Structure formats: structure tokens, C-alpha cells
Amino acid sequence: MCPTLFTLGPLSLPLLGEVGPFSLPTYGVLVASGFLVGLYLLARLAKRHGFDADKMTNLGVYVALAAIVGAKLFMMLVDMDIYLKDPGRLFSLSALQAGGIFYGGLLAAMATAFWYTRREGLPGLATADLFAPAVAIGHSVGRLGCFAAGCCWGKPTDVPWGLAFTDPDAHRLVGVPLNVHLHPTQLYEAAGALAVGLILWLLLERPHRPGTVLGWYLMLYSTFRLFVEFFRDASVRAFPFDGPLSTTQWLAVLLILVGACLVFARGGRQVEAPA
């Protein structure tokens, strides 16, 4: 008996609407929604754990802007051969609308957070711990935008939950193949990021050393991303050194090691759980 496969018609909605030459991409709306969800959760966590909510909100805005720039720069670095062949693509509408690569945004966000916490006298690791669950849950909402747009698509598959995109706008905007059943890697990541965020929230509410929650975030999400990448289509992945792992996977391995150092480091005063 053949497995049941699903075809995405109205569920795949790359554009929410068009007025003349202007369009409203679903991806951008959901990414912005994910940012607002993360910012709201961050403000709640800041108040609950005795931090200055205004400073934390300002830091959230700075981090978000850095993440956008970092994600796009990393995307251009990974696809450098494409942009060297056609430099005009750097200034094209498709490059402007592209979300970029998450890990590039994460590294830029962490660098910005380091600078801001030093400037404002905030405890760096404890501040990062507050950010971790908010970022993970906001990220899960943003990944639904990838699903709506069709980007970051998976390999062809015969598994019962395979999904086929049919909207011509999805193919035109991001290049996803139509009428081919694919692994819904966008939904894998949305579910994984949400699960990681909830786990981190629970860890934050227990006594812990500063930096531990951040460390678990780097370990859990990076491990999950490392395996999900195997189900993504090879045409949307860059493989350095002609090796078995993509650029994103190598970076995931590095961040797993960094996270392990934070989690298993000895010493440091424990942060008590909020009353």
C-alpha cells in the first residue's frame, strides 16, 4: 500500500497580497512576528529575573538588527561564487528579500550582545541565558515563514508526511521544485526550535550557573540542526573541502563544542530560581 503524501495548495502562501509592483511576502511577516514574540518573552523573563526590562528590550532590538545583517553577509559568503559571477545580484530584490543563513545571524547577534552588555554593565552570561529561550521560541515562528515561502526545502522523499509545493510564486521567489514530495525540513526546524526553547525555559527556572542555559541552547539546537541538514536538498547547501558536511554543519559542530564548554565548565556562583 502506497504511503499517504500531501500536496501543499493553500497551505503554502509565499505572498499575502500584491498591489501593483509591490508584494507582501509571508516570510517577512512571520519572521517579524517571531522577532516580536521573542522580544515579548525576553521582557517577561527580564522582569521575572530582576533585570532592567528597558535595557534588555534595547539589546533585543540591537541583536535583531545585527542578526539580519549577519545572516545576509553569511549567505553571500557561502554563495560567493554566485555573486562573483553576477555582482549585480548583491543589489537585486531577491537578495534583499532573502532571509540569509541563521548561523551568520547568530554569530553577529552574539558579538553585538557582547559589546552591549560590556557597555551597559550587564552580566554577560546571565543576560545570554535570558535570551536563549526567547530566541529559540521566536526562531520557531520564523521557520514557519520558511515553510510558507518554500525556501530551505528538503530532499525528495516517499515518507507519509512528505509535502509537495504547487504555488508558482514559491518556485519563482525561492526556486523550490513544484509537485515533488519533499521532506518538510522547515517544519522539522520549527518543531525542534520550539522544543529547545521550552526546555531552556525550564532550565532557566531552576538554579544554574551563568552561561549554562546558553550552553544547552548551543548544544541542543546545533545538534538538531546538524541532523536536519542531512534531509535538506543538496542544491541549497554549500559543502567546503568537498567533505560530507555542509558549511552549516561544520559550524554546528563548532557551536556544540562551545556549548559543551559552557555547560560542563566548573566553578562559578549558581543563579537561584526566581521566587
Side-chain angles (χ1 to χ4, degrees):
M1 187 174 181
C2 294
T4 301
L5 299 173
F6 299 94
T7 300
L8 286 177
L11 291 177
S12 173
L13 189 64
L15 299 176
L16 288 175
E18 291 183 278
V19 179
F22 301 100
S23 60
L24 182 62
T26 311
Y27 173 86
V29 171
L30 285 171
V31 168
S33 300
F35 165 67
L36 293 176
V37 168
L39 205 59
Y40 169 74
L41 295 176
L42 177 62
R44 285 195 59 183
L45 287 170
K47 291 179 181 178
R48 181 168 171 76
H49 289 263
F51 281 72
D52 187 317
D54 288 337
K55 286 185 177 180
M56 295 297 284
T57 301
N58 290 339
L59 175 56
V61 173
Y62 284 131
V63 162
L65 293 175
I68 292 171
V69 174
K72 289 184 182 294
L73 289 177
F74 198 73
M75 174 191 71
M76 293 172 183
L77 180 64
V78 169
D79 297 328
M80 185 179 295
D81 55 334
I82 297 175
Y83 292 103
L84 287 177
K85 291 176 184 176
D86 184 10
R89 292 190 60 170
L90 286 169
F91 310 99
S92 66
L93 183 61
S94 61
L96 180 64
Q97 291 179 333
I101 296 178
F102 172 73
Y103 274 130
L106 177 62
L107 293 175
M110 291 174 68
T112 302
F114 177 78
W115 162 77
Y116 185 87
T117 53
R118 291 289 296 271
R119 194 189 78 170
E120 296 295 330
L122 294 170
L125 290 177
T127 300
D129 285 342
L130 284 185
F131 264 80
V135 168
I137 294 173
H139 185 202
S140 72
V141 178
R143 276 300 177 189
L144 296 178
C146 293
F147 177 66
C151 61
C152 309
W153 64 88
K155 293 179 178 179
T157 182
D158 290 328
V159 297
W161 55 88
L163 301 174
F165 291 87
T166 60
D167 193 319
D169 282 332
H171 178 72
R172 176 175 60 85
L173 291 171
V174 300
V176 61
L178 301 181
N179 303 308
V180 178
H181 287 93
L182 310 169
H183 275 288
T185 47
Q186 309 95 331
L187 297 184
Y188 296 166
E189 286 212 45
L194 178 60
V196 169
L198 295 177
I199 292 171
L200 297 177
W201 194 294
L202 293 175
L203 290 174
L204 192 63
E205 296 299 298
R206 302 174 60 125
H208 59 276
R209 284 182 295 99
T212 305
V213 179
L214 172 64
W216 277 113
Y217 169 63
L218 296 177
M219 288 177 62
L220 291 174
Y221 177 75
S222 297
T223 300
F224 183 79
R225 181 64 183 269
L226 178 68
F227 285 102
V228 169
E229 280 286 302
F230 287 115
F231 297 97
R232 286 184 63 183
D233 191 282
S235 64
V236 293
R237 302 165 67 204
F239 294 85
F241 323 119
D242 295 323
L245 300 182
S246 68
T247 302
T248 298
Q249 288 173 307
W250 282 115
L251 188 52
V253 170
L254 175 61
L255 291 180
I256 290 170
L257 296 176
V258 173
C261 291
L262 289 170
V263 170
F264 299 110
R266 297 185 178 275
R269 182 178 59 85
Q270 277 208 340
V271 176
E272 297 299 323

